Amino acid sequence: MNKIFVITSILLGGAMTVAAQTRVEKKVATKAGGYGVTYSLPKTSLIINVEVTKTTCKAGPYYKYAEKYLGVTDAVTEDRVNYELGKFTLTNKGIPDANNTYTVEFKAGTVAPYAYLTEDGLLCCINAEYTPQAPAIEKAMENETASKSSSAVFTEELLMAGSMVRQAEVAAKQIFHIRESRMNILTGDSENLPPDGEAMKLVIKKLEDEEAVLTRLFTGMCTKETSYYDVTLIPQEDLEEEVLFRFSRKLGILDADDLGGEPIYISLKASERAPVLDPKEAEKKAKSMKGLIYNVPGKAQIEIKSGLKTLYKGEIPVVQFGTTESLAPTLFEDKKNPVKIFFYPETGAIKQIIQ
């Protein structure tokens, strides 16, 4: 069984304008200078994008006294790192098929149409302007970072306190003093009130920041960071609970053969598949394939699971389960009203024909 599972990053293809074609001839070759334009039909490469959230927790030095002095019962008591799987997104990315490359030859006396290809040589459109679509997966890396500690909250009394329990006691008193100061400002009972509303906001913000820094000495702190991973799959046959990758709550995403994590399974089953031709039928069809060659993809049902839990389920076009067809060369011979054809670059299928 031919399949590829690779943890990788997204590769985005652009589009470039190329010359046109009038007659298509099948050959496995690159573009020959001056001979014409070559394009490749794609084969399906599935990009499974996985969102992973990493939570890092750090215990405060006074966590043992959090309940005694602050009444906090859920303080972080040890340093730890946890990972959680989030959203799964699946994208169909066409990659050039070296066994399905075609050469467009210029022919005297005809008006050759122009075309747009991707930078990989995949066909986008003929006789029409083409604007590449935005990437299918819009990602935003969100990092929650802790506010900077302020040295102003560490008073001389706190710094000079000898034992840990004494330091915790002093820090707790300082927290309550900050809370009292904030309340006095808000109620107008302070002797030195800020001159205006804007100044009051700044003072309150400073007090809140100082309280937060001291409180974390007891409660500890947890921060979250979201990252994204791409796993590439090039399907050739049906898959039944193949290991896509492994996942550990302590280590995150791991390779499929790394036993340090639990397996994440993928199943892929053709829901629409082109019939297999016998040798004579295949030879007859190959001889009749003239003009512009394009793909008619099949379809596959995909399910990704962790144990009994389904993480993703959907249907997607798969070129490898389909077949190829051709458009007659005469379709491009109308000089006054050239036909316009749009393709799905990721599958090589026809999207729209405008006569």
Side-chain angles (χ1 to χ4, degrees), residues 26-29 39-43 96-103 121-122 289 293-295 319 323-324:
K26 185 173 182 179
K27 59 181 291 186
V28 180
Y39 71 92
S40 295
L41 289 179
K43 59 182 176 180
D97 186 350
N99 295 320
N100 283 285
T101 299
Y102 300 86
T103 300
L122 304 180
M289 296 284 281
I293 314 299
Y294 63 93
N295 281 333
V319 171
T323 186
T324 55

Side-chain angles (χ1 to χ4, degrees), residues 17-280:
T17 306
V18 296
Q21 69 266 25
T22 56
R23 185 171 67 85
V24 177
E25 176 180 283
K26 185 173 182 179
K27 59 181 291 186
V28 180
T30 59
K31 178 181 177 181
Y35 180 71
V37 175
T38 63
Y39 71 92
S40 295
L41 289 179
K43 59 182 176 180
T44 296
S45 170
L46 301 179
I47 310 296
I48 298 101
N49 180 262
V50 189
E51 180 186 76
V52 179
T53 300
K54 175 183 178 182
T55 302
T56 303
C57 293
K58 296 286 186 180
Y62 309 147
Y63 73 89
K64 293 182 179 179
Y65 312 104
E67 184 174 5
K68 177 180 180 181
Y69 290 121
L70 300 183
V72 176
T73 57
D74 58 351
V76 179
T77 59
E78 62 180 358
D79 295 349
R80 63 178 184 270
V81 177
N82 290 321
Y83 293 85
E84 290 185 5
L85 288 176
K87 183 179 180 181
F88 280 68
T89 305
L90 193 143
T91 303
N92 190 330
K93 175 178 170 56
I95 57 176
D97 186 350
N99 295 320
N100 283 285
T101 299
Y102 300 86
T103 300
V104 179
E105 184 185 49
F106 289 98
K107 194 173 183 179
T110 64
V111 178
Y114 66 93
Y116 277 88
L117 305 183
T118 69
E119 62 183 2
D120 292 331
L122 304 180
L123 193 58
C124 298
C125 62
I126 295 175
N127 288 337
E129 297 298 322
Y130 181 79
T131 303
Q133 295 182 349
I137 303 175
E138 296 288 342
K139 295 191 182 80
M141 301 295 289
E142 297 180 1
N143 296 319
E144 294 184 15
T145 57
S147 59
K148 295 181 180 179
S149 298
S150 172
S151 59
V153 301
F154 299 102
T155 61
E156 181 179 358
E157 184 181 7
L158 177 58
L159 295 174
M160 294 297 291
S163 65
M164 186 69 71
V165 63
R166 175 57 182 161
Q167 291 176 7
E169 182 181 354
V170 173
K173 288 181 178 179
Q174 196 167 335
I175 289 173
F176 289 118
H177 177 70
I178 291 173
R179 292 176 180 176
E180 183 180 0
S181 298
R182 183 174 65 242
M183 181 58 67
N184 289 338
I185 291 175
L186 292 174
T187 58
D189 292 335
S190 176
E191 296 181 358
N192 298 308
L193 289 173
D196 53 47
E198 193 62 32
M200 178 179 290
K201 290 181 181 179
L202 294 175
V203 172
I204 294 297
K205 180 64 168 59
K206 182 180 179 181
L207 290 173
E208 289 175 344
D209 290 345
E210 291 178 353
E211 180 184 351
V213 171
L214 288 168
T215 301
R216 283 197 293 269
L217 297 176
F218 293 88
T219 63
M221 179 175 61
C222 291
T223 59
K224 291 187 176 183
E225 178 183 359
T226 301
S227 56
Y228 299 85
Y229 296 84
D230 287 339
V231 184
T232 300
L233 164 64
I234 302 177
Q236 299 295 340
E237 301 177 4
D238 289 354
L239 304 176
E240 183 65 31
E241 292 196 347
E242 291 284 341
V243 178
L244 184 63
F245 59 86
R246 290 179 182 268
F247 177 75
S248 166
R249 291 189 174 275
K250 292 184 177 181
L251 301 174
I253 288 185
L254 305 172
D255 290 336
D257 58 356
D258 190 332
L259 300 181
E262 295 296 322
I264 304 299
Y265 296 105
I266 183 168
S267 295
L268 183 149
K269 185 177 182 180
S271 53
E272 291 185 17
R273 187 193 291 269
V276 179
L277 303 179
D278 62 40
K280 289 185 177 180

